[in-house]
Amino acid sequence: MHDPLETQAMGAPPPADSYGPSAPPMFDSVPGYEGTVAGGGGGFLPPPMPSFPESPPQPEPSQPHWTIPSITEDTARGAFALYASSKCCYSSSPAKNGVISNMEAFNTYRYRLETFTESRSTEWSQKPYNGEPIDAFSQQPPGPWNIAAQAPTFFQDSKQVIKVPYTSSLKNCHDCVGMGRMPCKNCAGAGNKVCWVCNGSGYRHGDDRCSHCSGRGRENCTQCQGQGSKECSTCQGRRQLLVYINLTVKWTNNTSDYVVEQSSGLLLENLNKVTGKELLKDARYLVFPVMGFPDLNVVSAAERLIREHQTTHSQSSRILQQRQTIELIPITKVTYRWKGKSHLYFVYGNEFKVNADNYPATCCCALM
């Protein structure tokens, strides 16, 4: 009977375990980048101290008592009608026929602090060698914070990855040990597998030779086309890797808001999607607490947030610019009567958005 092993592929590389354990490439020790590791980065690098002193804080001019004219009944009714028409399951009757009985203003302040920061981190990277210049140790690489990066417009998040000069070296591929090919896992490096039709016997019924494998009992591996090995995916068959340090520069706009509590009953989270009348806008390297503003809650919140931002973000990043704004957000509580009952809704923000959680005329689908 035919020996099913006689056609086993010749010259295939040894099985995977005969290469020995796979190890990552050996990374050189580069002055100024000693903590850099592969994959997860070397952690955020602390920024250098500012090279120039900041001028002492200057008092902001006293703010006048800003007010926003109350909206008219026509404006409130029009906003309510538009709100009702945007809901497929809301009847327009309350918005059209409801009679406004009272309008009460609950305008509030929103303080916002933005701190625009730059952070830097490094990690060892590698790619198949394609003839790039090898410059490691040809001269001292620049420090992580001395490498020029193209910063975006202030207060816009961005990211840039830069190859650190004078850190590129050439290493044999650690996965294939510089051979350029890896044993095929599908056939364990043999180049062929037991025929699935005859289970390796070479025959199907009695003395009928298996037509699928021509009686050999084995068939060529389709994954490696019978070679027993495949191109190494790490070095893409080039046998060598270019190893270098990547510097990742991130620009982040860190934002904190404080909204003065008001007793209208409208949840503060509704105000996140609207704008107000801008009363104050101050942008500089480091802003100073608001002085002379009539609402002491805003003054206290500004002082607290500025202290927190400058303490927190200066530890692992470089502060490039800060901006603080104060908005007066209009809120009007509208009470109206419809079919003999009293109801209410809110009109708020420059956009005249409406909140009416208990709209009195909805069909069943709005309640699901």
Side-chain angles (χ1 to χ4, degrees), residues 3-14:
D3 184 357
L5 299 179
E6 66 181 350
T7 57
Q8 183 170 343
M10 300 297 293

Side-chain angles (χ1 to χ4, degrees), residues 52 54 113-118 151-156 251-255 281-288 309-310 313 317-324:
F52 56 90
E54 175 66 6
L113 176 64
E114 300 169 88
T115 299
F116 186 60
T117 60
E118 175 185 328
T153 304
F154 282 160
F155 308 110
Q156 292 185 6
W251 293 274
T252 306
N253 191 35
N254 306 276
T255 303
K281 185 176 182 179
D282 173 34
R284 62 183 74 192
Y285 166 55
L286 293 176
V287 299
F288 302 106
H309 271 226
Q310 293 181 359
H313 298 302
S317 59
R318 171 190 283 170
I319 296 178
L320 301 181
Q321 190 83 178
Q322 287 190 306
R323 180 169 64 190
Q324 58 182 345

Side-chain angles (χ1 to χ4, degrees), residues 174-358:
H174 56 284
D175 275 345
C176 64
V177 199
M179 296 182 65
R181 300 186 68 82
M182 295 287 290
C184 176
K185 295 181 179 180
N186 189 53
C187 64
N192 52 62
K193 300 175 64 177
V194 173
C195 175
W196 65 273
V197 177
C198 65
N199 291 324
S201 68
Y203 296 87
R204 298 189 60 181
H205 304 289
D207 292 334
D208 291 339
R209 185 183 294 270
C210 177
S211 59
H212 183 74
C213 64
S214 301
R216 295 180 300 171
R218 301 185 72 84
E219 57 180 326
N220 283 344
C221 175
T222 56
Q223 296 292 318
C224 63
Q225 288 74 47
Q227 297 184 57
S229 63
K230 301 172 66 175
E231 180 180 272
C232 175
S233 60
T234 302
C235 67
Q236 297 178 2
R238 299 183 181 276
R239 303 187 179 187
Q240 293 179 309
L241 298 172
L242 183 71
V243 180
Y244 54 94
I245 294 176
N246 262 339
L247 171 70
T248 300
V249 186
K250 288 184 179 180
W251 293 274
T252 306
N253 191 35
N254 306 276
T255 303
S256 295
D257 286 353
Y258 170 77
V259 179
V260 178
E261 291 281 356
Q262 35 78 34
S263 57
S264 69
L266 179 68
L267 296 178
L268 292 182
E269 61 190 36
N270 289 294
L271 304 181
N272 294 337
K273 299 179 181 179
V274 298
T275 59
K277 178 180 177 62
E278 190 174 88
L279 307 183
L280 171 71
K281 185 176 182 179
D282 173 34
R284 62 183 74 192
Y285 166 55
L286 293 176
V287 299
F288 302 106
V290 176
M291 301 175 66
F293 196 77
D295 192 306
L296 295 182
N297 292 308
V298 173
V299 174
S300 176
E303 183 178 1
R304 174 178 56 84
L305 291 176
I306 289 173
R307 182 175 60 252
E308 291 176 357
H309 271 226
Q310 293 181 359
T311 300
T312 301
H313 298 302
S314 62
Q315 299 298 317
S316 60
S317 59
R318 171 190 283 170
I319 296 178
L320 301 181
Q321 190 83 178
Q322 287 190 306
R323 180 169 64 190
Q324 58 182 345
T325 56
I326 299 177
E327 297 171 279
L328 180 57
I329 303 176
I331 302 173
T332 302
K333 183 178 181 179
V334 182
T335 305
Y336 69 101
R337 294 189 66 81
W338 182 71
K339 289 189 175 182
K341 294 184 178 181
S342 181
H343 307 277
L344 62 86
Y345 62 91
F346 298 93
V347 182
Y348 57 98
N350 289 342
E351 299 81 2
F352 300 124
K353 288 186 69 69
V354 170
N355 175 269
D357 289 339
N358 296 313

Side-chain angles (χ1 to χ4, degrees), residues 105-120:
F106 289 88
N107 300 336
T108 190
Y109 297 110
R110 175 168 59 203
Y111 173 82
R112 173 170 294 165
L113 176 64
E114 300 169 88
T115 299
F116 186 60
T117 60
E118 175 185 328
S119 61
R120 300 193 171 200

